[in-house]
Amino acid sequence: MSPFDASSSPSTTEGAPRYRAVTRSNVHKTPQWSKLDPQMREAIDVVSQVLPFRTNPYVMNELIDWDRVPDDPMYQLTFVQQGMLSDADYAKMAQLVRDDAPKSEIKQVANAIRRRLNPHPAGQMTHNVPHIDGRPLPGLQHKYDQTVLLFPSQGQTCHAYCTFCFRWAQFVGLDDLKFQAQETTDLQDYLRAHKEVSDVLITGGDPMVMKTKAVRAYIEPLLSPEFEHITSIRIGTKSVAYWPQRYVSDPDADDLLRLFEEVVAAGKHLAVMGHYNHPRELSTEVSREAVRRIRSTGANVRMQSPLIRHVNDDADAWATLWKEGVKLGAIPYYMFVERDTGPKAYFEVPLVRAWEIFRDAYQQVSGLARTVRGPSMSAFPGKVLIDGVAEVGGEKVFCLQLLQGRDGDWVRRPFFARFDPEASWLNQLQPAFGEERFFFEDAPPQAKIRLNLA
Ligand SMILES: *Cc1c(COP(=O)(O)O)cnc(C)c1O
Ligand code: SF4
């Protein structure tokens, strides 16, 4: 059966990782459980009823420093914490868990909490889905002119779940996986009709939970002459950090590298967009070997990550990560601002602080690591970069610009917002100098959807 057959479920063994995942149902049996104090254990049992929890033996055994738990960044990155729910929500759910309440009741309360956590930020479900002949293509997104995103149906899970992830709603089943590509032909039909597109970005979840055979089925057709306009193929993945064995010792690791070589031989730029949150993720031999092996195929590795309180709100961690990356040949690419969804209150860093951390890290690295851009908010109008804080005509302002725009003409125009030391997302900013609106809110007709800035 073709991996794209609509009847094949995303959880087929075809896409399943090759180890036993650690989840709420078996975390009690891991050797590390005994190292957690009762309050931390309860937090896992309670919060994982609401937010997704999943990790794996490599993260447990090699990345988390159990002597530093609960403050350890890798623990914060993958284990749910009490502070991710409001006190009232936590108390309510904890009571249900203690009382061994019926599953249906727990689920009902969990869903009510989830709906209050802005499960669908930045209009992704409604505004970015492309169409052909009026038919929506739910496995694709096309927001910026040059780049089409593909969400392969079998790549909608991950080797471990990041606690801050903006796709959390999908992992708890709040979405009926609307992103899934039903057919590889959707992508091809769309690209045939859109010669302006140069980049395909395969994303997830994590597309690298798929076996090579499935990855190949999406990529190989793009190497034919009719897709000459597709010059770059990117794979957005956390596997380089959570399961680098994917490129080193998994049974089809070598097959994957052969596929990468074919893409490069076809004259395309292949970039593995590695999601690295913390330098610890590049501290193991297998993680470095993964980068070396990917690069040996002629593919590039680039590094991107959001800035997250409790995990990497530390300039030195970023500088170390970028320097380590450059040493291995991985190119620093983006620092993102954590999105306005899920347990945002737990993770958020004020924009001014994000800029300070970025600047302090940037000042520590040579020009070879200054390929990185940030901090950037992936907001409704586009990727908004915080260039810094300045005083103009006696008014303290944020200097901003769009690195990507829903309208390409918005890109790289400096604009200004009133300084606000508390603001942590674009919708909390007001235009500076007494203006009523940001320039992109006077949108041209085709983009004239009321922007989500209220
Ligand atoms: C970030 C992003 C891209 C890629 O943008 P680049 O600046 O080319 O890396 C494409 N589509 C969406 C929706 C994005 O958020
Ligand atoms: S690996 Fe990526 S998609 Fe998966 S949980 Fe982490 S941030 Fe989200």
Side-chain angles (χ1 to χ4, degrees), residues 157-158 160-162 164-167 171 204-206 238 242 275:
T157 186
C158 303
Y161 290 147
C162 310
F164 62 80
C165 180
F166 71 90
R167 300 199 206 285
F171 303 137
D206 190 337
K238 180 84 196 164
Y242 280 166
H275 178 180

Side-chain angles (χ1 to χ4, degrees), residues 50-61:
V50 179
L51 297 170
F53 168 62
R54 175 196 171 106
T55 185
N56 70 46
Y58 171 72
V59 175
M60 294 282 285
N61 300 332

Side-chain angles (χ1 to χ4, degrees), residues 3 14 39 64 77 83 118 121 195 213 236 309 336 378 448:
E14 188 94 59
Q39 196 205 341
I64 294 173
L77 180 60
N118 187 23
K195 299 287 187 204
K213 196 164 146 244
R309 189 151 59 95
F336 294 116
S378 294
K448 210 160 187 135

Side-chain angles (χ1 to χ4, degrees), residues 122-135:
Q124 330 189 60
M125 303 294 281
T126 42
H127 294 293
N128 304 334
V129 173
H131 291 73
I132 278 190
D133 303 330
R135 180 172 68 93

Side-chain angles (χ1 to χ4, degrees), residues 273-291:
M273 309 301 289
H275 178 180
Y276 292 99
N277 296 104
H278 193 275
R280 179 94 53 84
E281 295 167 333
L282 275 174
S283 68
T284 62
E285 183 46 36
V286 64
S287 68
R288 292 194 290 259
E289 183 62 13
V291 176

